[in-house]
Amino acid sequence: MKITLVGVGLISGSFALGLKKALDKTIEVCGVDISEVALSKAQEIGMIDMAKSIKEATEWADVVVLGIPVDALTRLVPEVLDYAREDSLIVDFGSTKEAICEAVAKHPNRKSFLAAHPIAGTEYSGPEAAFAELFQQKRMIICESDKTGEEQQHLFLRLCEALQMRVSYMTPAEHDLHLAFVSHLSHITSFALSNAVMRKEKSERHIFEMAGSGFASTVRLAKSSPDMWAPIFTQNRKHLLEGLSTYIEELQHFQKLLETEDQQGMKDFMNRANRIREIVDRIG
């Protein structure tokens, strides 16, 4: 099988490395990226076997996976569909889905496109961050499956099975709403907390000496790539603004409890939050 990666970063790179490990010698991978350094690194670590132009790489491939910022996806996926063979599979791994599905809705080769989002990742980026096990036991969300050809769907499901992934289906609107609350909002929170701490704690030494593992885990996402996340926030702004309003209301409520020294109210606030433990403990 011939696979092209448009963008040789963490997500698409881990997808390719995982399939190479699972399917052994039957996978050939071609890379496309605006960074020659990234392409060189991807070839050095065995993620890709060659590099081509996007037109050549698309015409060559059975499967094209796009793992690039979501603003670039809406521009590039229609172009890739122009180059693609009728029987090939074009997949995007963007963290928002409504805009990209709208961008390809009327494309004559729409059946070759599958809108997907692997719920997997780390705070790191670039080809060197990719690893073969990233997708194992993770969830793959598929949107608008009824608009994708049966052969393309079956092929993608076989690839997900090879990676030991679980598959869920939802509409693009459902995807973007849910991801705004359970993923995108947590990234904003991490960025904001990091900025608040650095604004007040002028000494790096104090942060280093006083912060424990709880702080480190809370701000871990603030190490994520701004180039990737700013377009996600912009595309999903409608749902994110709703999420931010709800989150700010909770913060203001706790601020009021603190101002009035209402310890029982604070305990009630935290006890309600503790119920999330039952859900989080099932994630795996």
Side-chain angles (χ1 to χ4, degrees):
M1 184 184 303
K2 298 176 180 177
I3 298 177
T4 283
L5 305 182
V6 180
V8 292
L10 168 68
I11 300 299
S12 56
S14 295
F15 183 78
L17 289 173
L19 289 176
K20 281 193 168 191
K21 183 176 180 180
L23 303 177
D24 197 30
K25 303 294 185 182
T26 61
I27 299 292
E28 285 183 277
V29 181
C30 178
V32 178
D33 203 288
I34 59 174
S35 169
E36 291 295 331
V37 173
L39 285 171
S40 178
K41 185 65 177 179
Q43 197 153 8
E44 178 185 325
I45 64 177
M47 177 193 297
I48 65 173
D49 305 299
M50 67 197 83
K52 297 177 182 287
S53 71
I54 191 164
K55 184 176 186 296
E56 291 174 326
T58 300
E59 293 172 344
W60 170 86
D62 303 306
V63 180
V64 179
V65 175
L66 293 99
I68 54 179
V70 293
D71 54 342
L73 278 172
T74 55
R75 298 192 306 268
L76 202 55
V77 172
E79 180 182 340
V80 170
L81 284 172
D82 289 341
Y83 302 143
R85 303 194 311 263
E86 189 176 336
D87 62 343
S88 60
L89 166 65
I90 313 300
V91 183
D92 91 283
F93 280 165
S95 293
T96 57
K97 283 287 160 277
E98 287 185 273
I100 182 60
C101 287
E102 288 174 7
V104 301
K106 296 181 180 179
H107 196 283
N109 200 18
R110 173 62 183 84
K111 76 178 186 65
S112 292
F113 175 70
L114 188 146
H117 181 200
I119 308 302
T122 73
E123 66 272 30
Y124 302 107
S125 58
E128 55 270 90
F131 58 100
E133 296 76 23
L134 178 63
F135 286 9
Q136 284 184 4
Q137 302 306 315
K138 298 300 195 303
R139 190 166 299 280
M140 181 71 78
I141 297 175
I142 296 176
C143 297
E144 294 191 333
S145 61
D146 59 312
K147 296 182 180 180
T148 302
E150 287 188 15
E151 290 184 11
Q152 286 86 350
Q153 284 192 63
H154 291 158
L155 172 56
F156 189 65
L157 290 175
R158 289 201 303 272
L159 297 180
C160 290
E161 183 180 3
L163 293 171
Q164 302 175 44
M165 299 193 76
R166 295 166 288 178
V167 176
S168 294
Y169 298 87
M170 58 183 65
T171 68
E174 288 172 335
H175 171 277
D176 288 3
L177 172 62
H178 297 322
L179 265 292
F181 279 87
V182 300
S183 173
H184 304 168
L185 185 59
S186 60
H187 280 77
I188 293 175
T189 301
S190 187
F191 286 124
L193 177 59
S194 297
N195 284 337
V197 170
M198 290 189 292
R199 207 165 93 187
K200 291 297 182 181
E201 289 286 352
K202 301 301 183 183
S203 169
E204 291 184 13
R205 181 174 63 83
H206 290 160
I207 297 175
F208 180 78
E209 290 178 350
M210 303 300 293
S213 59
F215 175 77
S217 63
T218 305
V219 299
R220 175 181 64 84
L221 295 177
K223 295 184 282 184
S224 300
S225 167
D227 289 336
M228 180 179 76
W229 280 97
I232 292 172
F233 296 151
T234 302
Q235 279 198 6
N236 208 18
R237 62 189 178 277
K238 177 180 70 174
H239 299 307
L240 261 178
L241 286 170
E242 178 186 349
L244 278 170
S245 294
T246 303
Y247 182 52
I248 290 168
E249 286 174 9
E250 291 294 321
L251 289 175
Q252 290 173 333
H253 175 55
F254 189 83
Q255 182 180 31
K256 187 67 175 178
L257 295 173
L258 193 59
E259 289 171 346
T260 58
E261 299 184 28
D262 184 352
Q263 286 200 33
Q264 186 55 51
M266 286 188 275
K267 290 178 182 178
D268 292 341
F269 180 94
M270 290 183 281
N271 278 323
R272 287 196 302 275
N274 281 167
R275 284 155 45 197
I276 199 70
R277 181 192 304 139
E278 300 173 10
I279 299 170
V280 173
D281 287 348
R282 296 200 302 268
I283 297 174

